[in-house]
């Protein structure tokens, strides 16, 4: 089959190409073979392309082919698939450990989802990774309390946009978010953020949080930034609040940090990663999504924002856009 490979195994965005000599995935056990119509890009794909992905991946990663989320059409079913759940020709979408930058992928039937007719292949391909991550940040790990004040960093990122909308669906009181351009600030407000703080314009989120919460702080912080925001995150955290660390986009080291404020305010520091989670956990997240979030997407109460759609023949350009932080929402590639 054809799939995206990287010249010499790893390298810059320009080293990616459509390789027509990648072996077809084999349908076995409870796996389902899907003909991919579209896939979503994620930051981890950049690390994988550069061969510096920091975590050990489970075995079923389809070799080195990048890509964890896709939409498409069922082509074949393994011998252990339960009867009646999926059929050849069904529209589907799902999350895999790798292999979605391709014409075909196999996925356990437990992780596959029917794609509702209201959702296009392009939108569907950009849903699983960010919404599953946001489910962890807001619910499974973040345990958002009722009427919570919430701070979500990188609000215009794929994960940030999903987290803002899930916080709103969960009945959050005030949603604070950071973003790097006026356009991104407008976008996050349209998704439900009450305060969009443009950090590149010199606005300080800790000051806004303190002012708008009468100094109490927020009950949940979803952090994707790390080093640059750590001190101000701790300052912005309310008593008995949680900080859920999802990513460390500005770095991971915190020199001379005083732990006292964490103890004084009984702040819970939580972390989570999705891709390296065991299949059983991922199935739990998927079931939470299907039951609680997918209906809101179908009814258009919430949405996935598609930043730009490329043909997969433009994969280099698509990666460069993400690397330059130009995207606001999901970058999608169609497989044609
Ligand atoms: N733990 C997990 O399970 C998990 C799952 C999915 C993703 N992630 C991670 O979450 C992060 C976001 O992923 P995504 O796909 O949502 O990203 P994305 O849509 O590509 O958006 C990332 C945005 O973050 C902002 N940003 C980047 N570097 C920054 C910095 N140093 N300081 C402040 N803001 C910065 C930029 O927006 P501005 O212009 O607004 O600055 C950038 O556009 C990635 O690091 C990804 O690996 C983790």
């Amino acid at each position: 089959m054809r799939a995206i490979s990287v010249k010499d195994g790893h390298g810059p965005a320009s080293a990616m190409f459509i390789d027509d000599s990648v072996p077809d995935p084999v349908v076995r056990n409870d796996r389902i073979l899907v003909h991919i119509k579209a896939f979503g890009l994620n930051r981890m794909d950049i690390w994988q392309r550069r061969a510096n992905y920091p975590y050990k991946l489970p075995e079923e990663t389809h070799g080195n082919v990048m890509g964890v989320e896709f939409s498409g059409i069922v082509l074949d079913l393994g011998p252990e698939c339960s009867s009646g759940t999926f059929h050849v020709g069904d529209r589907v979408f799902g999350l895999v450990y790798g292999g979605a930058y391709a014409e075909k992928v196999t996925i356990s039937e437990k992780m596959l989802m029917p794609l509702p007719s209201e959702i296009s292949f392009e939108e569907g391909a950009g849903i699983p990774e960010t919404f599953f991550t946001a489910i962890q940040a807001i619910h499974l790990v973040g345990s958002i309390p009722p009427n919570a004040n919430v701070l979500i960093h990188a609000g215009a990122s794929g994960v940030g946009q999903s987290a803002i909308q899930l916080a709103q669906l969960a009945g959050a009181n005030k949603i604070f978010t950071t973003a790097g351009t006026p356009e991104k600030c407008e976008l996050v407000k349209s998704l439900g953020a009450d305060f969009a703080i443009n950090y590149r314009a010199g606005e300080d989120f800790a000051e806004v949080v303190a002012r708008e919460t009468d100094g109490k702080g927020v009950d949940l912080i979803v952090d994707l930034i790390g080093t640059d925001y750590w001190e101000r995150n701790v300052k912005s955290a309310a008593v008995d609040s949680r900080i859920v660390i999802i990513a460390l986009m500005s770095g991971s080291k915190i020199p001379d940090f005083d732990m006292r404020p964490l103890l004084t305010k009984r702040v819970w520091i939580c972390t989570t990663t999705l891709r390296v989670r065991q299949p059983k956990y991922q199935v739990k997240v998927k079931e939470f999504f299907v039951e609680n979030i997918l209906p809101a997407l179908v009814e258009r109460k919430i949405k996935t924002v598609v930043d730009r759609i490329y043909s997969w023949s433009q994969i280099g350009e698509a990666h460069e856009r993400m690397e330059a932080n130009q995207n606001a929402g999901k970058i999608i590639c169609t497989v044609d």
Side-chain angles (χ1 to χ4, degrees):
M1 68 168 179
R2 293 179 302 160
I4 302 287
S5 292
V6 187
K7 195 167 168 284
D8 300 326
H10 59 92
S14 57
M16 288 184 289
F17 65 102
I18 298 178
D19 181 351
D20 57 11
S21 63
V22 175
D24 269 39
V26 179
V27 200
R28 56 186 161 75
N29 307 333
D30 77 335
R31 298 189 77 79
I32 291 182
L33 182 67
V34 177
H35 170 73
I36 295 180
K37 301 285 268 184
F39 58 80
L41 266 58
N42 288 284
R43 295 245 153 190
M44 68 183 107
D45 308 340
I46 297 175
W47 301 333
Q48 192 172 337
R49 190 196 74 222
R50 294 179 186 154
N52 58 5
Y53 190 72
Y55 311 111
K56 189 175 179 321
L57 289 170
E59 273 171 23
E60 54 171 72
T61 51
H62 297 270
N64 271 334
V65 177
M66 290 166 275
V68 296
E69 57 185 354
F70 67 88
S71 61
I73 290 173
V74 172
L75 277 181
D76 199 3
L77 291 91
E80 291 164 24
C81 286
S82 45
S83 66
T85 310
F86 291 100
H87 305 93
V88 172
D90 283 355
R91 284 162 46 92
V92 290
F93 66 133
L95 183 80
V96 283
Y97 288 102
Y101 283 23
E103 280 179 321
K104 295 174 200 166
V105 73
T106 68
I107 177 170
S108 160
E109 69 168 346
K110 295 190 192 74
M111 284 304 288
L112 193 62
M113 299 172 284
L115 181 66
S117 58
E118 294 85 352
I119 300 177
S120 68
F121 283 117
E122 289 82 2
E123 278 178 276
I127 289 174
E129 176 69 18
T130 58
F131 274 98
F132 289 14
T133 301
I135 284 170
Q136 294 181 85
I138 299 295
H139 292 284
L140 304 182
V141 178
S143 300
I144 188 168
N147 214 26
N149 290 326
V150 184
L151 169 61
I152 295 164
H153 289 304
S157 67
V159 172
Q161 293 186 23
S162 303
I164 289 167
Q165 296 182 89
L166 294 201
Q168 197 187 36
L169 261 191
N173 179 34
K174 288 181 181 168
I175 302 175
F176 300 85
T177 186
T178 53
T181 66
E183 296 74 29
K184 287 185 177 182
C185 286
E186 282 312 306
L187 173 68
V188 293
K189 279 190 185 164
S190 76
L191 295 173
D194 299 290
F195 301 92
I197 299 135
N198 183 347
Y199 69 94
R200 284 210 187 97
E203 294 178 57
D204 182 347
F205 69 82
E207 282 174 14
V208 178
V209 166
R211 185 183 71 226
E212 299 296 333
T213 61
D214 297 325
K216 290 196 187 88
V218 291
D219 306 293
L220 173 62
I221 299 176
V222 177
D223 188 32
L224 290 82
I225 308 302
T227 304
D228 288 356
Y229 287 179
W230 177 252
E231 294 273 359
R232 283 176 289 161
N233 277 344
V234 174
K235 214 190 259 182
S236 303
V239 171
D240 290 322
S241 61
R242 287 185 189 216
I243 301 177
V244 182
I245 300 169
I246 298 286
L248 301 163
M249 287 195 286
S250 71
S252 59
K253 302 260 168 65
I254 305 162
D256 296 330
F257 175 66
D258 178 6
M259 287 191 284
R260 178 68 55 194
L262 291 178
L263 189 60
T264 308
K265 295 199 273 186
R266 296 187 297 270
V267 178
W268 293 45
I269 305 296
C270 311
T271 65
T272 189
T273 52
L274 178 62
R275 192 179 188 185
V276 292
R277 294 274 197 171
Q278 289 305 306
K280 204 170 158 191
Y281 178 90
Q282 291 200 347
V283 170
K284 186 172 101 173
V285 182
K286 184 214 88 172
E287 283 170 358
F288 186 103
F289 170 80
V290 170
E291 204 171 308
N292 301 289
I293 311 300
L294 185 56
L297 278 162
V298 169
E299 290 166 27
R300 301 289 170 190
K301 286 185 186 154
I302 59 172
K303 61 181 176 184
T304 187
V305 175
V306 174
D307 169 76
R308 205 168 271 199
I309 300 172
Y310 292 89
S311 157
W312 72 332
S313 59
Q314 299 165 293
I315 185 69
E317 216 179 297
H319 264 226
E320 279 163 6
R321 182 169 173 80
M322 185 165 59
E323 269 179 304
N325 292 336
Q326 286 169 340
N327 61 304
K330 295 297 301 191
I331 298 175
I332 305 296
C333 284
T334 53
V335 177
D336 33 49

